[in-house]
Structure formats: C-alpha cells, structure tokens
C-alpha cells in the first residue's frame, strides 16, 4: 500500500493517517480546497519520510471533476493502491432548520461525493485486481439522533452504500473499509463541549492506518464505541426519541 489518494486531506484525522503512511515511505496525493494548507501538509509528509507528496485542488461538490482528479492522482503516483475519503461537514442543526439548502449541501459533501468517488475508485481498482477504499463515516450513522438528524442521516447513507459496494467488489481483490469514529477533537467539533469520550486525532489516524493495512470491513474508533452503539441500537424507539444527546 504505497500509492495513496487522500481526499479531504486538510482534516485533522486524514492528516494523522497520512503521517502514518508517510513514515513507511508511501507516496501520497492530497486533495482539498485550500492550496496553502495542502502544500504545508505535503511538506510535512515529505519531512516524515513520504517518497512523494503531491496535491490536487478539488471541491468535492463538483462531481464532474472527480474523474479528472483520479486521473491526475494516478498520473502523479503511477497508479493507486488505496484511497482515503475523509471529506465531511457537520451542519449546524439550527442552520438546517432555517434553510433546507444547508441539509442538501451536507448530503452533497458527506454522501454524494463519496458515492461518486468510490464508484470510480472501485472500477479502477477492480481492473487492476487490488486496492483499498477507506471511507470515514461516523457512529452517528448507527442510529440517527434528533439533535443532528441531517449529519447522522448522511453517515447512515454512507454506511449502507459501503456495505453494498463491499459486496459488489468482494471477488475483485478490492477492500472497502468503513471507519466509524466517535467524537474527535478537531476544528469541526470545536464548538462542542468536551467530555471523556472525545479522542485525539492522532489516535484515530493511527487506527485508520491500521484498519486499511488489515483491510478491515468496519472499524469503530476508538473501539469502545462499538459497545456504546450496541446498547443504543437496541433501545426501543419510544425511549430513543426522548433522549437528548
């Protein structure tokens, strides 16, 4: 796993995962909207041992540019062994209530861009007979909470899609890894009150690297979230809908 595409590479979690691959001498192609931040991350990865660290500017909402992005990544790295799709937004529930366009944008970033890129990646990797497509979902997709229904729904849709894509690519040599973090201390969650369940991005990034290396299907990060969500999922709907968390 030496030629890796990272979409949403400016996210704290993706950056930490990329550092793990860089330490192994991998070549990386980093995508995002902020050229200056991407260049800084690329320089950091080269300093940590990456054989190459190239960048591509992309707003994932622009699905008509996805094919060109993958072509550019393959040309820069000489092919692709793996891809990490880490793009995402956490919409404010009040903003969603005020304007449904905020919800549609969240689906465009969190769900539709993943579907578009992953289908293309699956086709590319199936032709070569190997690869790993890793997608950052969320524990919020296990059971959608009323306090942030849109975000949870985008991640629930991603989980369903990844399950189907995994089944379709089962015999092609391509792994589909769904990463399901809980709360992580990143700029995206800076407005939330911290508690003992928050994890640091370094820990989650290392977990992503390990899961991709092991070609895992579904991974909760940190692992204790699997048991927390197991309890939440068995709650009767009449009880669950009364909870505020």
């Amino acid at each position: 796993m030496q030629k890796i595409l990272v979409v949403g590479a400016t996210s704290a979690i993706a950056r930490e995962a990329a550092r793990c691959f860089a330490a192994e001498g991998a070549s990386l192609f980093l995508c995002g909207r902020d050229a200056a931040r991407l260049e800084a991350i690329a320089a950091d990865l080269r300093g940590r041992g990456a054989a190459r660290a190239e960048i591509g500017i992309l707003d994932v909402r622009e699905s008509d540019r996805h094919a060109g992005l993958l072509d550019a990544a393959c040309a820069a790295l000489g092919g692709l062994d793996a891809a990490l799709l880490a793009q995402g937004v956490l919409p404010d529930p009040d903003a969603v209530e005020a304007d449904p366009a905020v919800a549609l944008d969240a689906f465009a970033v969190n769900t539709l861009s993943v579907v578009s890129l992953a289908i293309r990646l699956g086709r590319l990797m199936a032709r070569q007979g190997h690869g790993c497509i890793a997608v950052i979902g969320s524990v919020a997709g296990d059971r959608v909470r009323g306090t942030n229904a849109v975000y949870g729904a985008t991640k629930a849709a991603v989980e369903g899609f990844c399950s189907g894509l995994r089944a379709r690519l089962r015999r092609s040599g391509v792994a589909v890894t769904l990463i399901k973090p809980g709360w992580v201390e990143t700029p995206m969650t800076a407005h939330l009150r911290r508690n003992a369940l928050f994890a640091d991005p370094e820990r989650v990034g290392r977990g992503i690297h390990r899961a991709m290396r092991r070609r895992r299907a579904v991974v909760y990060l940190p692992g204790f979230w699997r048991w927390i969500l197991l309890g939440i999922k068995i709650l009767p709907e009449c009880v669950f809908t009364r909870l505020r968390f």
Side-chain angles (χ1 to χ4, degrees):
M1 200 175 286
Q2 291 297 304
K3 303 171 184 177
I4 303 162
L5 168 68
V6 183
V7 181
T10 58
S11 81
I13 295 173
R15 184 185 66 234
E16 295 302 329
R19 285 175 171 175
C20 294
F21 285 110
E24 299 174 336
S27 296
L28 298 110
F29 192 90
L30 313 175
C31 298
R33 292 184 296 167
D34 190 324
R37 289 179 65 195
L38 288 172
E39 288 286 8
I41 293 168
D44 173 69
L45 296 177
R46 294 184 200 108
R48 292 173 183 269
R52 299 189 68 179
E54 307 294 338
I55 72 166
I57 310 305
L58 176 72
D59 185 330
V60 294
R61 299 171 179 86
E62 299 172 351
S63 58
D64 59 332
R65 295 187 56 212
H66 290 177
L69 169 83
L70 297 186
D71 288 343
C74 288
L77 303 184
L80 284 177
D81 297 319
L84 173 60
L85 304 184
Q87 68 267 34
V89 294
L90 178 62
D92 178 77
D94 293 335
V96 169
E97 289 291 333
D99 184 1
V102 176
L104 298 180
D105 182 70
F107 272 95
V109 175
N110 294 1
T111 308
L112 299 182
S113 73
V114 169
V115 171
S116 174
L117 286 165
I119 288 174
R120 289 177 167 85
L121 285 163
R123 190 163 58 232
L124 182 158
M125 292 179 181
R127 284 198 300 267
Q128 67 189 20
H130 73 275
C132 175
I133 304 168
V135 178
I136 296 184
S138 172
V139 297
D142 277 31
R143 194 164 187 182
V144 180
R145 298 174 294 134
T147 51
N148 207 339
V150 168
Y151 179 74
T154 66
K155 296 301 185 177
V158 163
E159 178 166 4
F161 168 73
C162 285
S163 177
L165 184 65
R166 187 180 303 114
R168 187 166 66 82
L169 296 175
R170 180 171 64 90
R171 299 183 180 180
S172 68
V174 181
V176 177
T177 298
L178 178 64
I179 310 295
K180 302 175 78 169
W183 289 312
V184 184
E185 294 182 8
T186 67
M188 193 169 75
T189 62
H191 63 289
L192 300 177
R193 181 177 297 177
R194 295 294 186 260
N195 59 52
L197 297 179
F198 271 81
D200 61 75
E202 292 83 3
R203 179 180 182 182
V204 176
R206 291 192 300 269
I208 291 171
H209 170 261
R210 186 166 55 249
M212 292 176 68
R213 280 288 182 200
R214 295 177 180 176
R215 297 168 62 89
R216 296 281 300 279
V218 180
V219 178
Y220 289 80
L221 294 174
F224 60 72
W225 281 103
R226 178 182 299 275
W227 311 113
I228 292 175
L229 269 297
L230 180 63
I232 290 174
K233 286 191 288 188
I234 64 174
L235 288 174
E237 186 72 4
C238 61
V239 174
F240 178 74
T241 53
R242 294 176 183 175
L243 299 178
R244 301 289 295 178
F245 63 97

